[in-house]
Amino acid sequence: MPRAAISEPIAVAGYTASHPVTVGNRKAHDGARGLASGVSMPRALTREELQAQTRELVLTAAETVFLQRGFHATTVAQIAAEAGRTQGSIYSNFESKDALCQQLLRIHYEGWLTQVALAVMASEGTSAKLEVVEAKWRVLSGETDWIGLTTEYLLAARHSPEQSELIRETVSGLQDGVKAVLLGQLQSEGVDVDEGALLDDAVAAIIATGMGLVVNHTMGLVGLDQSTSVFMQTLETWRDRLSSSH
């Protein structure tokens, strides 16, 4: 999926170093000439800006290495080499490889959900909104490298209480996002839904079904068309249940 430059939310693939260090006699001479002519020199970056820049570089490098090698085969040394930074700079931004992968995945999926929400809001009518969701679902399902990385990470992180807590926080955020999209769609149809147990069940079922389908598709057990059909049926079933409950 094209990464919407999520400066943290997902433009991960678009991170670049925007302030390269310049050295050498010629550039020093050019800088002096600029001062002499009254041209202001770029201000020095603050410590916080430099750290943010390094963090972006690390996330970009981590995406490249993790998607190429997978979670288990990736090392912090490989990410540091890809980023052109030391391992120390990695650890100054992320406490572990697990934490770095968790943040990368969070940015990716929150970015995808944001794209879905914006596209749904911009569409008119139930059919158009459902078509948007179906198209976005196909994009997500086709990202087998991301799904494979996610599965590897989740299986490894289940043994870590700290990472498990971060996963719960991330899933909670995704649940809130799915709930907002679902409520927005129903409200656009004139359905006023209470935020109660039935809505929570709908969100849990949609996310659980979706996760199972993308993993099975990545493993080659379910085709994309069948995966899409089952997901959309699940979504529409819960939408109908919520609509008929009022």
Side-chain angles (χ1 to χ4, degrees), residues 65-66 69-81 87 90-91 97 100:
V65 180
F66 275 130
R69 304 179 64 87
F71 178 75
H72 290 294
T74 293
T75 65
V76 172
Q78 292 164 348
I79 295 172
Q87 291 188 57
I90 306 292
Y91 287 117
K97 182 181 81 168
L100 174 52

Side-chain angles (χ1 to χ4, degrees), residues 32-211:
R33 185 172 59 185
L35 287 174
S37 62
V39 177
S40 60
M41 295 294 291
R43 68 175 178 81
L45 295 179
T46 65
R47 180 189 181 95
E48 290 74 19
E49 288 171 333
L50 287 170
Q51 185 170 19
Q53 184 183 92
T54 297
R55 187 179 178 86
E56 291 178 349
L57 283 170
V58 170
L59 285 166
T60 300
E63 178 179 348
T64 298
V65 180
F66 275 130
L67 293 182
Q68 286 180 348
R69 304 179 64 87
F71 178 75
H72 290 294
T74 293
T75 65
V76 172
Q78 292 164 348
I79 295 172
E82 179 70 25
R85 293 291 189 270
T86 64
Q87 291 188 57
S89 69
I90 306 292
Y91 287 117
S92 68
N93 286 277
F94 302 94
E95 65 180 20
S96 65
K97 182 181 81 168
D98 294 46
L100 174 52
C101 187
Q102 189 275 339
Q103 181 65 11
L104 188 66
L105 293 172
R106 180 172 187 164
I107 288 171
H108 181 72
Y109 291 113
E110 286 182 353
W112 175 81
L113 188 56
T114 298
Q115 290 184 21
V116 173
L118 292 174
V120 167
M121 286 190 294
S123 302
E124 296 290 339
T126 301
S127 296
K129 292 179 185 296
L130 289 173
E131 287 175 4
V132 165
V133 173
E134 180 174 342
K136 295 296 184 183
W137 172 259
R138 285 181 173 274
V139 171
L140 180 66
S141 297
E143 295 179 335
T144 53
D145 49 359
W146 281 100
I147 304 303
L149 174 62
T150 303
T151 304
E152 265 195 275
Y153 165 75
L154 290 175
L155 290 174
R158 74 188 190 281
H159 299 299
S160 167
E162 296 81 6
Q163 289 303 308
S164 294
E165 179 60 30
L166 287 174
I167 291 170
R168 282 190 289 272
E169 291 177 6
T170 298
V171 171
S172 177
L174 292 174
Q175 288 173 333
D176 289 342
V178 171
K179 183 182 295 186
V181 173
L182 192 55
L183 280 173
Q185 179 176 335
L186 289 169
Q187 288 169 357
S188 71
E189 298 173 12
V191 179
D192 188 17
V193 179
D194 294 331
E195 295 193 40
L198 186 61
L199 179 59
D200 290 339
D201 287 348
V203 170
I206 290 168
I207 291 178
T209 301
M211 290 178 67

Side-chain angles (χ1 to χ4, degrees), residues 179-244:
K179 183 182 295 186
V181 173
L182 192 55
L183 280 173
Q185 179 176 335
L186 289 169
Q187 288 169 357
S188 71
E189 298 173 12
V191 179
D192 188 17
V193 179
D194 294 331
E195 295 193 40
L198 186 61
L199 179 59
D200 290 339
D201 287 348
V203 170
I206 290 168
I207 291 178
T209 301
M211 290 178 67
L213 287 170
V214 293
V215 170
N216 276 275
H217 174 60
T218 297
M219 296 175 64
L221 301 177
V222 176
L224 180 57
D225 289 342
Q226 184 180 19
S227 170
T228 302
S229 175
V230 171
F231 180 76
M232 294 306 297
Q233 287 178 42
T234 301
L235 180 61
E236 293 182 49
T237 296
W238 279 102
R239 187 201 64 183
D240 292 343
R241 285 191 61 182
L242 290 167
S243 298
S244 62

